[in-house]
Amino acid sequence: MIHFERTLSIDATPDEVWAVLGRYMHVDEFAPQIASVDALTEGDDGLGSKRRNKFANGTSVVEEVTAWKPGEGFTVALSEMAAMPLREASSEVRITPIGGQSKVIWTFDYRVKYGPLGWLMGQTMMKMMMGKVIDGNLNGLADKVRSNQHA
């Protein structure tokens, strides 16, 4: 598996950050690449919750929560990723308190199709692409948390 990670400090408490992240079915409120979300499960967000993230380019991916720690973060397994050259993928978002702020760590672990050529593609193009996506998600999260603080 290839591991990729980005971090951002947000001037907010972990509870304020979780108030946005914990609304699992509403990732489209801060993730700029996600045009809409279909909830694939009913009930409270948590372990086993599934959503389909639809992107502006018409593609989509399904994410299922495999670990859920209220106030701290969650892990998801990705599936139905036909538009991506991936065999498997998972992502984790963690919130760590630092003084009066929160450090948000967003990881993406993935295995690329196509053997050695895929591995090389995963180390180069996929890391560049995922860097842009995760940076956009982190900055969107920070903006959403700030707007909630001033609401």
Side-chain angles (χ1 to χ4, degrees):
M1 288 277 247
I2 298 171
H3 178 78
F4 187 75
E5 182 172 305
R6 288 282 212 252
T7 303
L8 182 69
S9 290
I10 299 177
D11 189 16
T13 67
D15 286 344
E16 289 171 316
V17 175
W18 183 253
V20 176
L21 270 182
R23 290 172 37 85
Y24 181 71
M25 298 299 176
H26 301 278
V27 66
D28 56 330
E29 292 179 353
F30 69 85
Q33 299 285 328
I34 299 176
S36 65
V37 174
D38 291 339
L40 302 178
T41 53
E42 294 181 10
D44 293 340
D45 292 338
L47 189 62
S49 292
K50 274 177 110 168
R51 67 186 178 199
R52 179 181 308 281
N53 299 334
K54 295 181 177 179
F55 303 101
N57 67 4
T59 63
S60 68
V61 65
V62 170
E63 293 181 327
E64 180 175 358
V65 176
T66 57
W68 184 264
K69 296 179 184 167
E72 297 177 31
F74 57 81
T75 304
V76 297
L78 283 72
S79 62
E80 299 183 37
M81 353 174 234
M84 294 188 268
L86 301 178
R87 214 178 310 172
E88 62 181 296
S90 64
S91 183
E92 180 182 23
V93 185
R94 291 188 318 270
I95 307 166
T96 306
I98 320 172
Q101 296 190 325
S102 299
K103 179 168 82 169
V104 180
I105 303 154
W106 200 304
T107 68
F108 189 65
D109 294 283
Y110 56 101
R111 192 177 319 280
V112 185
K113 296 176 184 174
Y114 314 122
L117 179 60
W119 182 87
L120 183 60
M121 186 171 58
Q123 292 290 351
T124 55
M125 293 181 350
M126 284 297 297
K127 279 191 175 179
M128 284 187 343
M129 182 187 85
M130 289 315 302
K132 290 178 185 173
V133 169
I134 294 173
D135 285 345
N137 290 354
L138 286 167
N139 289 317
L141 174 62
D143 290 345
K144 180 69 175 161
V145 169
R146 272 193 293 278
S147 73
N148 284 358
Q149 288 173 326
H150 299 104

